[in-house]
Every structure is written in C-alpha cells, then in structure tokens.
Amino acid sequence: MGSPFGLPEIRVIQDIYLHPNRSANEISEELNMDKGYLSRLLKNLERQNYIFRSICKEDARRGIISLTDSGISVYHELDNSANQSVNDIYGHLSEAQITTLISNMEEICSLVCSPTSNSQESVD
C-alpha cells in the first residue's frame, strides 16, 4: 500500500490503537508474535516517536504502551489507505456480486481451514 511499514509494524500499530494501554505481553499474546521480535519492533516504533511507554498506576511492574499523536496519525493514514485499496479492488461490484464473493470466500476458507482438508476426497 505504499507504506514504509511492514505488516508486523502495521499489526502492532493497529493493535495499540484498537486496544490502548496494553502491555507488551498482551500485545504479543494477541498477535501471536514472538516477544523478542515484538520488543525490537516496539523499540523501533518508539525511536520513531510513534509509541511511548508508561508505568501502570495499578501495578508498577507493568509497562503500558500507547500511541503518540504521530502514531495515531499513522494509524489513520494506514486505515484510510487500506480502505481505499479495498474500494479500488471491490468498489465496482454490485451488492449481489459482493454477497456471492463473500459466500465463495467462506466456502474456500471452510475447505482450506477444515481439519479434513488434508484428507483425499474424491471429486465428482
């Protein structure tokens, strides 16, 4: 989408925006991301002034991560860009076509994601 951020950074920025005042552990668990890798991403985002860390008032052992004003602006830019990309790809479709597309995507997901998807089934 022409962003200077990779998908992991975007996921972290989005998670912090949608769930403010989380700890690094909570972000790591939510995103199923290695804590060491997340730590490096957070240091980089902090260096760029997109996030800041503070101490939880209820538990001084717990660090809280929040977006700075610059981080909030970046989130909105990324969100707008993603929405525009979706509109560029699907905007020409009618409501009926979108319904069909969603139904087909759900069918694909059920085939690919189902536990039996690895079994050999005959196709008639």
Side-chain angles (χ1 to χ4, degrees):
M1 293 186 295
S3 167
F5 300 99
L7 183 57
E9 291 93 351
I10 292 170
R11 290 177 66 213
V12 169
I13 290 169
Q14 180 183 36
D15 187 75
I16 296 169
Y17 180 84
L18 296 175
H19 309 283
N21 301 319
R22 276 197 171 168
S23 68
N25 283 338
E26 291 168 319
I27 295 169
S28 173
E29 289 173 15
E30 177 70 23
L31 300 179
N32 194 26
M33 188 177 285
D34 176 76
K35 291 177 184 177
Y37 183 59
L38 176 62
S39 177
R40 290 188 297 277
L41 290 178
L42 291 173
K43 284 179 186 174
N44 189 38
L45 292 171
E46 188 172 26
R47 196 175 314 114
Q48 296 176 45
N49 195 36
Y50 294 127
I51 67 163
F52 67 94
R53 300 171 197 245
S54 59
I55 302 298
C56 178
K57 292 175 186 168
E58 293 81 27
D59 183 355
R61 298 169 297 173
R62 187 171 175 253
I64 299 298
I65 300 167
S66 304
L67 292 176
T68 62
D69 289 341
S70 295
I72 291 170
S73 293
V74 164
Y75 169 79
H76 287 296
E77 289 172 20
L78 293 168
D79 190 51
N80 289 338
S81 180
N83 289 337
Q84 184 59 51
S85 293
V86 169
N87 190 50
D88 290 347
I89 295 168
Y90 304 109
H92 68 283
L93 298 176
S94 70
E95 216 169 300
Q97 290 172 315
I98 290 173
T99 300
T100 300
L101 178 65
I102 291 169
S103 176
N104 290 338
M105 287 178 166
E106 288 170 345
E107 176 67 18
I108 290 168
C109 186
S110 72
L111 291 171
V112 173
C113 301
S114 73
T116 60
S117 64
N118 293 332
S119 66
Q120 296 289 329
E121 296 181 16
S122 63
V123 178
D124 293 322

